Amino acid sequence: TTQPETTTTAAATTTSTITTTTEAQTCPHLPACYTRCEDRWRDTLSDMNFSYNCAKGCAAMSPTSPVASDPMKYCGISHKTQAFQYCHSECDHASDSSGLRERCRWGCQFWRPCPVIEDCLTRCEVYWKDFIEDGLYSYHCAKGCAEMGGGAMVDETKYCSIEDSAEAYRYCMGEC
């Protein structure tokens, strides 16, 4: 006897994000990237608002639903710097609104080649209670995390390449 074929579709959820199991298996980083967006913008992808536009920096998103149409768009690029740069350029077409394009670019930061910078930037924003891209104090604090210029990050690897934390601190203090 043959058993009837059973197909089960399960949704893997992170916070209130809607992602298919296939997406999560194809790119294991997507749930973390989506959650990062939702935590930052304090809404959900299903709201189709700020977090949804941020998620455009995680993967190619469907224009009509909070699901990745191409989950491997950035995840499939093995060199982090290239993924980050490609993602940033793709955000130019993410929305007609400059504010929503900036949220997409913030989503792209997930693919940065220097992952420890996230903690440094978050400390600045928490301490000064504003966002780096919007706030005066956090922006100046971020200069201790990366090379900043013209209101944006110019070189995030400025301190990341220095492996000895005491040496990085001395170098940073000298730059201030």
Side-chain angles (χ1 to χ4, degrees):
T1 58
T2 48
Q3 297 283 21
E5 186 177 323
T6 307
T7 307
T8 307
T9 336
T13 55
T14 57
T15 322
S16 55
T17 303
I18 300 168
T19 4
T20 66
T21 313
T22 307
E23 289 173 24
Q25 290 173 349
T26 305
C27 180
H29 308 295
L30 283 185
C33 190
Y34 292 160
T35 299
R36 181 178 172 272
C37 288
E38 290 178 331
D39 289 348
R40 170 67 185 261
W41 302 111
R42 296 179 186 100
D43 65 359
T44 67
L45 272 89
S46 23
D47 293 337
M48 301 287 288
N49 199 352
F50 296 140
S51 291
Y52 168 78
N53 282 281
C54 176
K56 291 178 181 181
C58 300
M61 299 299 287
S62 163
T64 57
S65 66
V67 177
S69 57
D70 179 4
M72 293 301 290
K73 184 169 186 169
Y74 308 117
C75 190
I77 301 172
S78 59
H79 195 269
K80 288 276 194 178
T81 302
Q82 290 173 342
F84 177 65
Q85 291 170 342
Y86 176 55
C87 183
H88 256 254
S89 68
E90 287 293 292
C91 288
D92 290 342
H93 315 290
S95 173
D96 292 336
S97 162
S98 63
L100 295 179
R101 287 191 302 271
E102 283 307 309
R103 281 159 179 78
C104 175
R105 287 185 186 94
W106 195 88
C108 292
Q109 291 178 23
F110 183 82
W111 306 110
R112 289 183 313 238
C114 184
V116 296
I117 197 169
E118 181 81 21
D119 293 335
C120 186
L121 297 174
T122 299
R123 278 193 308 272
C124 290
E125 291 179 336
V126 168
Y127 183 82
W128 292 107
K129 296 177 178 58
D130 62 6
F131 294 130
I132 290 167
E133 26 325 291
D134 301 331
L136 176 67
Y137 298 112
S138 289
Y139 174 79
H140 288 287
C141 176
K143 290 181 178 185
C145 304
E147 179 76 28
M148 303 294 285
M153 193 178 329
V154 176
D155 178 14
E156 72 175 64
T157 62
K158 181 175 183 174
Y159 303 113
C160 191
S161 60
I162 304 170
E163 292 187 28
D164 177 24
S165 60
E167 183 183 336
Y169 179 76
R170 284 191 298 276
Y171 179 70
C172 175
M173 292 303 289
E175 291 289 300
C176 292

